Amino acid sequence: MSTLLIRGGRLLDPASGVDRVADVLVADGRIEAIGVGLGEAGVERVVDARGKLVAPGFIDIHVHLRTPGQEYKEDLRTGTAAAVRGGFVGVACMPNTSPVIDNAVTVTYVNTVAAQQGLCKVWPTGAITKGSKGAELAEIGEMKAAGIVAITDDGMPVENGETMRQAMIYAKQFNLMIMDHCEDKHLAGGGAMHFGKVSSLLGIKGMPAAAEEVHVARNILLSLETGAHVHIQHVSSRRSVELIRWGKAMGANVTVEATPHHFTLTDEIVMEMEYSTNTKMNPPVREAADRQAILDGLRDGTIDCIATDHAPHHVDEKEVEYQAAKFGITGLETAVGLVIDRLVKPGVITLEQMVRLMSTRPAELIGVQAPALVQGAAADITVIDLDRTWTVRAEEMASRSRNTPFIGWELTGAPYATVVGGVLRMEEMKVIG
Amino acid sequence: MAGLKRKDILGLREMSTEEIDLILDTADALKDIATRPIKKLPTLRGKAFVTLFYENSTRTAKSFELAGKYLSADAINISISSSSVQKGETLKDTARNLEAMGIDAVVMRHPMGGAPHFLAKHLRASVINAGDGMHEHPTQGLLDMLTIRQRKGGFKGLKVAIIGDIFHSRVARSNVFGLAKYGAEVWVAGPSTLLPAGFEELGVKVTTRVEEALEGADVVNVLRLQLERQEKALFPTVAEYSKFWGVGPERLKLAKPDHVLMHPGPMNRGVEISTSAADGEQSVILEQVTNGVAVRMALLYLLLGGGDAA
């Protein structure tokens, strides 16, 4: 029985009504006691959390762990190492692997390897359609039985509205959320960045915001008709946020995530970084008004959660021409820093909102027990140093890939310790295990 | 003559007027070489460059090659079909192999915007952008500016009308970026499906009415129409394009009587420009071609350190 004492931090778990300075004693994977001045007798390890924030463990419901088939980009060891280094106790991984996770056998494979190699919880998602080709439904029920937490054709959006409608009707009976990467590929037109002034100046083919908005609107309307739970992935545009706000007001079962890069950057970054392919992601970062709408949505609660869309790629796939480069950037190891530096410190959201956006709500969305700072709960805990100023460095990253535009950024606020199932997996941004 | 304080020529957007002045002055000084009986200066003897073209081009590649020969540089030409861009050797590997063979500069045309910027980061050799996707074509922009300067004495206050497919045109972008720096009044005109976003913010006047752009223009620059755009539903027929946006003698009456008419070539006669206009008295289209060699000589001279031998 391993025991751990998290000493003297500010415990903040709004869902459990907890906001106090106290010690947390962890034993046997659970929170054994919460109190002031708990003794260290028999404790194997003490985490000094004085002056720090102790939160229910953070969960990222949108990551690409590239397993099976693309382990040269990331595997379940390196991906979960990046997760715990970034302060996450669990991640939901996307099924656009090679082969696609569209059947129970592949789901079981991911679960088995994750159990052997993973440093945090891994919840697989499954494809909506076979091979994510947008035609026939995947074995959604079989995959649910094998443990998936949602279905998605992330990266290869379901183009046919009727296919999506039937998928919603079918998924609903299994109580599965449909996560959708909203993109009309015809409107996106092979673009490599946001369509606007900057794409015009740089001579790069642009993707208009409407390419996302059209599918956001479609999905909301289909959700209203079918009652299925649709989750809009990585919202990027002002009108998408407005559509979702409208959909929620209409009673649609629609939820939405935003990424740190979409609330931090605009398309100007492509010019500032002179065509660096680490600014290429889909959906792209857009204009100031779009970024502001995402900030507003985070503040007013329209946006349910923060997810990273952690998308590792090999350097060979990024050290090419902008148009030829893969879409996607890594995000697990910079998310907490960006959330605190860009949202909490400037007063966009409160710490209570941060906990909801990064722990409680994402857990609810994928239907897993939300981490909580109460006696008897599973010990999934994220400790954060709100005041530490640090520089993002590629060589310190635990992910196998380093394709992020945030290298060299100085951020205030950093994950300090990650406890997964009672085991200390990270301390002072160093992975343990 | 002081050289340029940069390794690469990637676009006019990031260049200062001082740099552009230097290039144009140098081009003016070198221009007569092409009309001499002995077209050879020893200036760049012992220097080597490669033209690396991932898109078809006759004019630009040969213009660079001749510019190099007139200055005694050794040039080799490599053409790679654009369809092999994503299949074959990576751009970075191709260029680094050439660099390993000792070349001093790479002149590259590439179908993707920003490709020369990418290359410039990975090479010690100079990179000259000979056209990247729909981004920039700086040597075309410079030769257009040289032609305008020779004819009009400068740029400030000139009304310059650029007509055609502005959206996809690297020539339009380089002209806009360069001319706007000097206070020219730049208009772009074309069908709404072929106009770019955000040019107004650069102070450029954008219109779908070609007449509005031509009214009182000092310079009319007609762009080549890429006929395959029709298949992508950007305009219905060549005939309709020509009717609304084609430039011929009647429309040119709107421009100033002493206007100059330019076209970067190759022309689709009877489509974007009529033959009588193209071959008319105001046309400076062949002067542009001559100036193209001069500008490219100037750039090779300034980048490859010919300063000592001159």
Side-chain angles (χ1 to χ4, degrees):
Chain A
M1 184 175 106
S2 81
T3 53
L4 179 72
L5 185 68
I6 302 170
R7 173 72 82 195
R10 176 185 170 196
L11 278 53
L12 185 65
D13 176 9
S16 308
V18 173
D19 183 1
R20 62 185 286 216
V21 174
D23 305 330
V24 180
L25 180 65
V26 171
D28 218 11
R30 303 217 154 255
I31 295 177
E32 180 149 302
I34 294 176
V36 177
L38 297 181
E40 292 182 16
V43 169
E44 292 165 34
R45 187 145 189 172
V46 177
V47 173
D48 183 0
R50 285 173 299 176
K52 299 183 178 67
L53 187 79
V54 179
F58 286 2
I59 287 169
D60 185 349
I61 64 169
H62 189 158
V63 305
H64 296 269
L65 297 181
R66 306 300 190 201
T67 302
Q70 297 168 334
E71 290 84 354
Y72 67 96
K73 300 177 196 243
E74 193 82 287
D75 63 27
L76 290 170
R77 182 68 175 192
T78 58
T80 56
V84 298
R85 182 165 181 273
F88 292 98
V89 301
V91 295
C93 61
M94 296 295 110
N96 62 334
T97 49
S98 181
V100 171
I101 303 173
D102 64 358
N103 61 79
V105 174
T106 317
V107 174
T108 301
Y109 174 79
V110 172
N111 278 330
T112 305
V113 178
Q116 291 164 353
Q117 302 179 359
L119 295 172
C120 70
K121 296 170 200 297
V122 174
W123 297 288
T125 60
I128 300 170
T129 59
K130 290 194 181 92
S132 285
K133 291 193 164 83
E136 303 168 64
L137 290 181
E139 291 173 346
I140 293 167
E142 294 270 22
M143 291 194 291
K144 165 88 178 186
I148 61 164
V149 293
I151 54 172
T152 175
D153 279 355
D154 183 36
M156 288 170 281
V158 178
E159 186 181 323
N160 185 315
E162 173 60 5
T163 305
M164 184 55 117
R165 181 173 159 272
Q166 296 297 350
M168 285 187 188
I169 293 168
Y170 195 80
K172 191 185 168 198
Q173 69 189 330
F174 290 106
N175 198 26
L176 276 171
M177 166 173 78
I178 294 188
M179 306 173 81
D180 200 35
H181 168 125
C182 294
E183 181 188 355
D184 180 318
K185 290 279 184 191
H186 292 286
L187 284 171
M193 67 176 290
H194 171 64
F195 177 89
K197 182 189 80 174
V198 179
S199 69
S200 190
L201 292 180
L202 292 176
I204 290 183
K205 214 162 175 344
M207 297 183 261
E212 172 177 286
E213 293 151 1
V214 162
H215 270 208
V216 169
R218 177 196 75 172
N219 287 344
I220 291 170
L221 295 171
L222 290 176
S223 171
L224 281 167
E225 176 165 314
T226 62
H229 178 186
V230 179
H231 177 78
I232 308 297
Q233 297 182 297
H234 41 49
V235 66
S236 73
S237 99
R238 173 172 63 86
R239 289 194 194 90
S240 291
V241 175
E242 287 168 3
L243 284 164
I244 292 158
R245 194 174 283 125
W246 172 84
K248 288 187 167 193
M250 292 289 286
N253 192 359
V254 58
T255 56
V256 58
E257 72 194 27
T259 73
H261 48 278
H262 287 108
F263 70 62
T264 302
L265 303 174
T266 66
D267 57 353
E268 299 277 350
I269 192 72
V270 186
M271 187 178 286
E272 283 164 24
M273 293 184 71
E274 294 182 316
Y275 297 93
S276 164
T277 56
N278 287 340
T279 64
K280 181 175 173 180
M281 71 291 282
N282 191 6
V285 290
R286 301 192 191 271
E287 299 176 18
D290 298 298
R291 191 179 83 90
Q292 187 58 49
I294 293 166
L295 294 174
D296 294 343
L298 288 162
R299 179 192 289 120
D300 72 15
T302 302
I303 295 172
D304 293 86
C305 72
I306 291 165
T308 65
D309 191 10
H310 177 79
H313 287 296
H314 194 273
V315 64
D316 290 347
E317 297 167 317
K318 281 290 196 181
E319 278 213 342
V320 294
E321 301 90 324
Y322 200 86
Q323 183 79 40
K326 296 272 191 196
F327 285 108
I329 63 171
T330 58
L332 283 167
E333 294 173 76
T334 47
V336 166
L338 288 166
V339 166
I340 295 164
D341 193 275
R342 299 289 152 153
L343 299 181
V344 176
K345 295 281 178 190
V348 177
I349 61 170
T350 62
L351 288 172
E352 287 81 357
Q353 284 177 295
M354 175 181 79
V355 171
R356 178 169 171 79
L357 287 161
M358 300 195 74
S359 176
T360 317
R361 191 68 179 131
E364 287 170 8
L365 291 180
I366 59 171
V368 301
Q369 180 68 47
L373 298 179
V374 294
Q375 193 180 0
D380 296 317
I381 300 166
T382 300
V383 182
I384 294 165
D385 187 339
L386 294 169
D387 300 317
R388 183 179 167 214
T389 298
W390 59 292
T391 302
V392 180
R393 294 194 197 287
E395 61 274 18
E396 292 172 1
M397 290 189 162
S399 170
R400 181 159 286 153
S401 299
R402 281 91 203 264
N403 49 304
T404 161
F406 298 115
I407 288 166
W409 280 45
E410 193 178 273
L411 300 173
T412 296
Y416 180 77
T418 309
V419 179
V420 181
V423 180
L424 184 66
R425 290 299 193 188
M426 182 277 280
E427 191 171 18
E428 293 187 70
M429 297 188 81
K430 290 187 178 60
V431 177
I432 301 165
Chain B
M1 198 181 288
L4 279 171
K5 289 187 181 62
R6 58 170 68 236
K7 176 173 84 76
D8 312 293
I9 301 293
L10 304 178
L12 294 192
R13 184 163 48 84
E14 59 263 31
M15 289 176 101
S16 67
T17 54
E18 290 75 22
E19 289 176 296
I20 294 171
D21 285 342
L22 172 63
I23 294 163
L24 298 185
D25 292 345
T26 308
D28 264 333
L30 293 171
K31 170 165 78 89
D32 295 335
I33 293 170
T35 56
R36 288 181 193 171
I38 311 262
K39 301 175 177 52
K40 206 81 167 172
L41 281 186
T43 315
L44 295 184
R45 198 165 58 202
K47 299 289 182 181
F49 70 95
V50 58
T51 62
L52 179 61
F53 273 56
Y54 288 88
E55 279 182 352
N56 289 333
S57 159
T58 307
R59 189 175 324 242
T60 306
K62 293 303 165 196
S63 179
F64 267 109
E65 192 180 345
L66 277 172
K69 286 184 195 297
Y70 293 160
L71 296 177
S72 302
D74 293 304
I76 58 164
N77 306 301
I78 300 176
S79 293
I80 301 173
S81 87
S82 56
S83 60
S84 70
V85 166
Q86 291 190 54
K87 294 180 214 152
E89 190 181 45
T90 66
L91 172 58
K92 187 176 150 189
D93 282 340
T94 301
R96 290 174 96 180
N97 273 277
L98 292 166
E99 186 171 66
M101 296 178 199
I103 53 120
D104 300 292
V106 176
V107 174
M108 182 171 74
R109 170 164 293 185
H110 195 285
M112 297 175 184
H117 303 67
F118 164 73
L119 199 59
K121 286 183 197 170
H122 291 286
L123 289 188
R124 288 185 306 280
S126 289
V127 174
I128 301 177
N129 180 7
D132 60 327
M134 50 189 208
H135 178 225
E136 281 221 45
H137 190 352
T139 61
Q140 180 73 42
L142 289 164
L143 75 88
D144 288 345
M145 291 178 74
L146 181 63
T147 308
I148 293 169
R149 197 177 79 165
Q150 286 165 359
R151 286 296 191 128
K152 297 291 176 190
F155 309 104
K156 190 162 179 60
L158 288 186
K159 179 171 179 179
V160 180
I162 305 172
I163 315 289
D165 177 358
I166 312 296
F167 184 91
H168 297 94
S169 176
R170 52 196 175 211
V171 176
R173 280 177 182 73
S174 286
N175 267 274
V176 163
F177 296 149
L179 290 166
K181 288 180 202 290
Y182 288 86
E185 180 190 339
V186 184
W187 285 71
V188 298
S192 49
T193 45
L194 297 177
L195 290 174
F199 266 38
E200 295 88 346
E201 291 177 46
L202 301 175
V204 175
K205 307 274 201 320
V206 181
T207 179
T208 56
R209 289 187 57 246
V210 68
E211 293 81 5
E212 195 181 3
L214 290 174
E215 181 79 46
D218 299 282
V219 176
V220 179
N221 196 345
V222 182
L223 302 177
R224 173 180 169 78
L225 185 68
Q226 305 286 323
L227 298 175
E228 64 270 22
R229 306 287 180 218
Q230 189 187 330
E231 294 159 22
K232 294 182 179 157
L234 297 176
F235 62 90
T237 60
V238 166
E240 179 159 320
Y241 180 89
S242 192
K243 178 180 165 75
F244 286 93
W245 296 282
V247 173
E250 275 307 307
R251 286 202 170 120
L252 285 171
K253 285 177 186 163
L254 293 166
K256 286 204 182 127
D258 64 344
H259 74 269
V260 293
L261 178 66
M262 305 169 71
H263 190 295
M267 290 184 277
N268 298 301
R269 287 173 181 265
V271 180
E272 73 267 9
I273 192 166
S274 75
T275 285
S276 54
D279 299 338
E281 286 188 2
Q282 305 310 123
S283 170
V284 294
I285 293 170
L286 291 175
E287 288 174 35
Q288 289 175 269
V289 178
T290 306
N291 282 332
V293 178
V295 158
R296 287 158 187 138
M297 279 196 281
L299 289 175
L300 291 168
Y301 172 82
L302 291 167
L303 288 179
L304 299 190
D308 302 338

